[in-house]
Amino acid sequence: MSLPAKSGDASQSPHGFVHVRNVHKHFGPKLTLGDRIAATLGARVETRSVRAVDGVSLDIVRGETLGLVGESGCGKSTLGRMVAGILTPSSGDVAVDGAPVMADGRKIDTRVQMIFQDPFASLDPRMRVGDIIAEGPLAHGLTSKSEQAGYVAGYLERAGLDASLVRRFPHQFSGGQRQRIAIARALAMQPEVLVCDEPVASLDVSIQAQIINLFLALQRDLGLTLIFISHDLSVVRHLSDRVAVMYLGRIVEEGPAEQVYATPAHPYTKGLLASVPRLVLDEADLVTLDAIEGEIPSPLSPPAGCNFNPRCPLAQERCVRDDPELRQVRSGHLAACHFAE
Amino acid sequence: MSAPILEVSDLTTHFFTRAGVVKAVDGVSFSVGAGEIVGLVGESGSGKSVTGFSLMGLVDPPGRIVSGSVKLDGEELVGLSWDQLRALRGSHIAMVFQDPMATLNPVLTIGTQMRLAISAHDKTSRRAADARAADVLTRVGIPEARSRLGAYPHEFSGGMRQRVAIAIALLHGSQVLVADEPTTALDVSIQAQILTEMRDLAAETGTALVWISHDLATVSTLADRLLVMYAGRIVEQGPVASVLRDPHHPYTAGLLRSLPATAKPGEDLFQIPGTTPSLLDPPPGCPFRPRCEHASELCTADPPLEMSRDRGVRCFHPLREMVSV
């Protein structure tokens, strides 16, 4: 899979189907009118903001699955929500198939749908399953009141649920079944892009396998473009064509899944992969987890130079001074490290 | 292996609800030696946490330990009064929970909470208590522990809070430490740090560790022995690597095969059909029977625990005929 050229002229370059360009999302304190006036007059007003996403560019080919991995606070969910149009970027653009997502901040974009981690929080407990799934399609004219029953049944079955369950309420379902309802609701909007934010994280292992298989079937049968956000590296490996690793609001490495896992180029990715416990099948194997030292710094005051330098085993003087660009280390494989090769 | 420090036999904990009797733990037996790490693995509702609470004598009504015995260094814990248990909890047997914010009091400093935990069992001066607290905090990997005693829990990150919770459990050099999903809520890089520290700690201090988790990989990097729970019972047990390499119970085998890590990327994962059974008045016989591809007439009876050398399995149709000694 080749990566579209990241050239400067935005007008003609062959963008991906999902095109994210230099997106930032900063969460700052709400300033009062007085503060704003004071700030424009040059007074020092506390405006420190959390740089949740700090300059991310991505291109995803149609039908491809991009895995977005990173630890808590790295900005992966915020990025996912910006692609889905739930959050508006502080700056930068998100476009699907050449058209911006949620351009004016009001028009609802149905081309991107989202699946959330907690199926106990994402379904309205007072609505029947049939109504949960039909609400969006009815509002957007994808189906009509008279055709609603058949429409809903089709998507329920697509998600692996019995269509006779439409009259039930969410509390009558288990966690795995609720996640299927959430998937049916997203599919019923006939999206082109699906953003899945930790969709199997809260499920038991045996149920997790069922939902992963459902995603595999959706990839095969519907040709959906998927953004799969997870902290679980083995789940991402299983489902993704490409993987992007985030750290403190930035992408530090991006490339074909098998390459990133086999030969990670960024020291953070290496550390992350080494931290994952593996099944031990040999008594003689005393497993050593090469943990990354220290903790993620506060995004309120990220370190100077390379974000990862305080924890990096390779860090040198240069890393405190210069912020490394995300650059190509192999064909289609990018890393933001001075020493990556 | 030295003599077991913790011996659990036929532990049965039921919850007497209005809807009926929930058999959360239904005849669990195992033992842990000094310095040994035992991993207790199961899915939600398998009874692994209730087993942990039962060891601590922390089962609240409508739940009750119905029968069985928990022996700590030869002393029977089941049937002790609240005060007698309280004298043991924290000093001889301690527990670490999944959510450190539920363990720590948000309005007291770490130092205050640790001094309270120390004075619960020992009379010491404030100075001595502080020194001891700082010493234990350093052991679990908190830098500049002395100066952190005045900090409140919210000033710590999630990983650091869990370290504080572990430090409090270690204050009195407990013989047994029960840890219920202590790294589940943490990031992998922090989890790796804590796992390594816990393993060193058990080796250094001889603390017996009961590590409760849903994650087979985590347990396999840490534990010496594995207990697999299903529907309130231990269905398989043995040395970790041996069980994972060569599972005898169809449930253990199914669980392993359903992990993405054991499959080729992009291929369908193995699915155990159905869902975990309700523990409310379960039917007699093997609880895994409805989901098992090997189930037969025999399985309507209760399979006994078959032990062979260091492996044990509760199944009439184990995946490999066990060699009898």
Side-chain angles (χ1 to χ4, degrees):
Chain A
M1 218 150 299
S2 69
L3 190 83
K6 297 220 167 193
S7 64
D9 62 320
S11 54
Q12 284 304 310
S13 62
H15 293 320
F17 180 64
V18 177
H19 177 63
V20 177
R21 194 185 138 93
N22 201 19
V23 157
H24 290 76
K25 182 71 191 179
H26 297 177
F27 294 101
K30 280 228 172 70
L31 296 182
T32 60
L33 180 63
D35 283 342
R36 279 203 304 257
I37 294 168
T40 40
L41 294 178
R44 286 179 58 117
V45 175
E46 177 72 41
T47 54
R48 271 202 322 170
S49 57
V50 173
R51 296 155 169 246
V53 173
D54 199 21
V56 164
S57 298
L58 265 180
D59 282 288
I60 309 171
V61 175
R62 189 193 278 265
E64 188 179 61
T65 298
L66 176 89
L68 206 52
V69 299
E71 300 181 278
S72 25
C74 72
K76 55 189 191 301
S77 291
T78 306
L79 179 60
R81 280 162 196 244
M82 285 194 286
V83 174
I86 294 173
L87 290 174
T88 328
S90 306
S91 67
D93 310 300
V94 179
V96 171
D97 205 8
V101 170
M102 300 279 269
D104 56 3
R106 282 189 60 204
K107 185 169 168 284
I108 291 171
D109 206 314
T110 62
R111 295 173 301 163
V112 188
Q113 289 296 314
M114 192 150 177
I115 294 163
F116 300 90
Q117 170 173 354
D118 184 359
F120 288 79
S122 67
L123 303 175
D124 187 334
R126 289 163 302 183
M127 282 175 81
R128 293 180 196 276
V129 168
D131 297 329
I132 289 175
I133 294 169
E135 191 183 28
L138 281 174
H140 290 276
L142 297 173
T143 185
S144 59
K145 273 274 172 205
S146 57
E147 291 160 9
Q148 180 185 340
Y151 190 84
V152 167
Y155 284 102
L156 268 178
E157 276 162 13
R158 177 68 262 192
L161 284 171
D162 194 336
S164 65
L165 302 173
V166 286
R167 300 278 303 155
R168 297 219 181 157
F169 288 99
H171 75 262
Q172 296 172 289
F173 294 88
S174 67
Q177 287 173 315
R178 283 175 195 230
Q179 204 54 294
R180 288 180 192 273
I181 296 169
I183 292 168
R185 174 177 64 181
L187 293 178
M189 293 301 289
Q190 304 179 10
E192 297 179 77
V193 180
L194 212 52
V195 178
C196 313
D197 191 359
E198 301 270 13
V200 298
S202 60
L203 306 176
D204 266 325
V205 179
S206 66
I207 309 303
Q208 181 174 303
Q210 297 171 7
I211 301 297
I212 289 175
N213 284 351
L214 175 58
F215 277 114
L216 287 170
L218 296 180
Q219 283 174 339
R220 274 195 304 265
D221 305 344
L222 303 181
L224 282 172
T225 307
L226 242 63
I227 297 180
F228 198 92
I229 302 167
S230 178
H231 70 285
D232 188 328
L233 293 159
S234 65
V235 171
V236 168
R237 169 81 230 255
H238 200 77
L239 286 167
S240 310
D241 303 308
R242 293 181 67 79
V243 172
V245 183
M246 284 187 77
Y247 186 76
L248 269 185
R250 300 194 180 169
I251 290 179
V252 295
E253 179 158 4
E254 188 202 331
E258 67 270 32
Q259 243 185 60
V260 172
Y261 279 79
T263 51
H266 195 283
Y268 176 63
T269 315
K270 281 182 195 155
L272 206 56
L273 287 169
S275 305
V276 179
R278 277 163 229 278
L279 286 175
V280 180
L281 302 177
D282 186 356
E283 291 84 352
D285 239 14
L286 180 70
V287 192
T288 43
L289 295 166
D290 295 318
I292 308 173
E293 278 175 34
E295 302 200 2
I296 304 172
S298 160
L300 268 173
S301 48
C306 171
N307 272 338
F308 190 57
N309 83 68
R311 304 175 73 189
C312 183
L314 306 177
Q316 304 204 355
E317 205 186 322
R318 181 179 173 201
C319 305
V320 187
R321 220 176 41 233
D322 303 336
D323 196 358
E325 290 277 312
L326 193 62
R327 62 186 169 86
Q328 184 141 327
V329 286
R330 256 160 272 155
S331 166
H333 190 156
L334 309 154
C337 174
H338 295 305
F339 305 109
E341 47 198 36
Chain B
M1 190 55 60
S2 51
I5 194 86
L6 180 73
E7 266 188 290
V8 180
S9 47
D10 207 24
L11 180 68
T12 307
T13 304
H14 291 176
F15 288 81
F16 298 89
T17 66
R18 198 178 294 178
V21 180
V22 177
K23 299 183 173 174
V25 179
D26 205 18
V28 160
S29 305
F30 64 95
S31 61
V32 193
E36 193 186 17
I37 305 178
V38 165
L40 188 58
V41 169
E43 298 185 278
S44 3
S46 63
K48 56 188 193 304
S49 290
V50 178
T51 303
F53 287 123
S54 301
L55 299 181
M56 299 292 296
L58 285 173
V59 181
D60 286 329
R64 174 156 66 79
I65 297 179
V66 179
S67 63
S69 127
V70 176
K71 279 193 175 140
L72 180 67
D73 207 4
E75 191 186 348
E76 179 61 55
L77 299 189
V78 175
L80 287 188
S81 72
W82 186 257
D83 286 339
Q84 286 169 315
L85 275 172
R86 189 162 178 171
L88 293 174
R89 267 188 230 128
S91 63
H92 292 77
I93 182 166
M95 191 159 180
V96 178
F97 302 90
Q98 176 172 347
D99 178 8
M101 272 322 258
T103 305
L104 300 173
N105 187 332
V107 298
L108 298 179
T109 64
I110 299 299
T112 307
Q113 300 189 47
M114 295 190 77
R115 278 195 298 276
L116 281 171
I118 290 171
S119 64
H121 298 287
D122 291 329
K123 273 205 163 67
T124 53
S125 67
R126 184 184 162 124
R127 182 187 293 264
D130 277 353
R132 191 155 136 197
D135 179 48
V136 180
L137 286 175
T138 310
R139 234 169 49 207
V140 296
I142 294 185
E144 296 158 55
R146 193 85 210 207
S147 62
R148 302 291 272 158
L149 287 176
Y152 288 89
H154 76 263
E155 298 177 65
F156 289 82
S157 67
M160 284 298 170
R161 280 180 207 147
Q162 194 58 290
R163 285 193 167 92
V164 172
I166 292 169
I168 290 176
L170 291 173
L171 272 176
H172 294 279
S174 292
Q175 295 155 296
V176 177
L177 187 61
V178 182
D180 189 3
E181 304 263 14
T183 61
T184 306
L186 305 177
D187 279 320
V188 277
S189 68
I190 308 300
Q191 168 174 279
Q193 293 168 1
I194 289 184
L195 288 179
T196 313
E197 287 156 17
M198 291 309 281
R199 199 167 55 191
D200 295 347
L201 220 83
E204 272 167 36
T205 60
T207 304
L209 200 56
V210 180
W211 192 272
I212 301 170
S213 175
H214 71 285
D215 183 359
L216 282 167
T218 305
V219 168
S220 82
T221 55
L222 182 72
D224 305 305
R225 222 143 41 79
L226 183 65
L227 311 171
V228 181
M229 276 193 88
Y230 186 79
R233 300 162 186 203
I234 293 175
V235 294
E236 175 150 22
Q237 55 184 294
V240 168
S242 163
V243 171
L244 296 183
R245 191 175 54 230
D246 179 23
H248 293 334
H249 199 284
Y251 174 65
T252 317
L255 215 49
L256 277 166
R257 281 170 67 197
S258 64
L259 293 176
T262 60
K264 266 209 190 115
E267 272 181 9
D268 272 352
L269 299 173
F270 175 76
Q271 294 182 5
I272 302 177
T275 52
T276 44
S278 157
L279 297 176
L280 190 68
D281 300 316
C286 174
F288 191 57
R289 173 169 37 110
R291 306 175 74 186
C292 183
E293 49 186 358
H294 303 283
S296 72
E297 276 300 301
L298 267 178
C299 305
T300 48
D302 224 347
L305 178 71
E306 300 258 8
M307 287 298 292
S308 144
R309 291 204 200 93
D310 48 4
R311 295 284 301 269
V313 64
R314 277 182 87 146
C315 179
F316 286 115
H317 308 287
L319 294 181
R320 175 173 293 183
E321 285 307 320
M322 300 192 42
V323 196
S324 48
V325 183

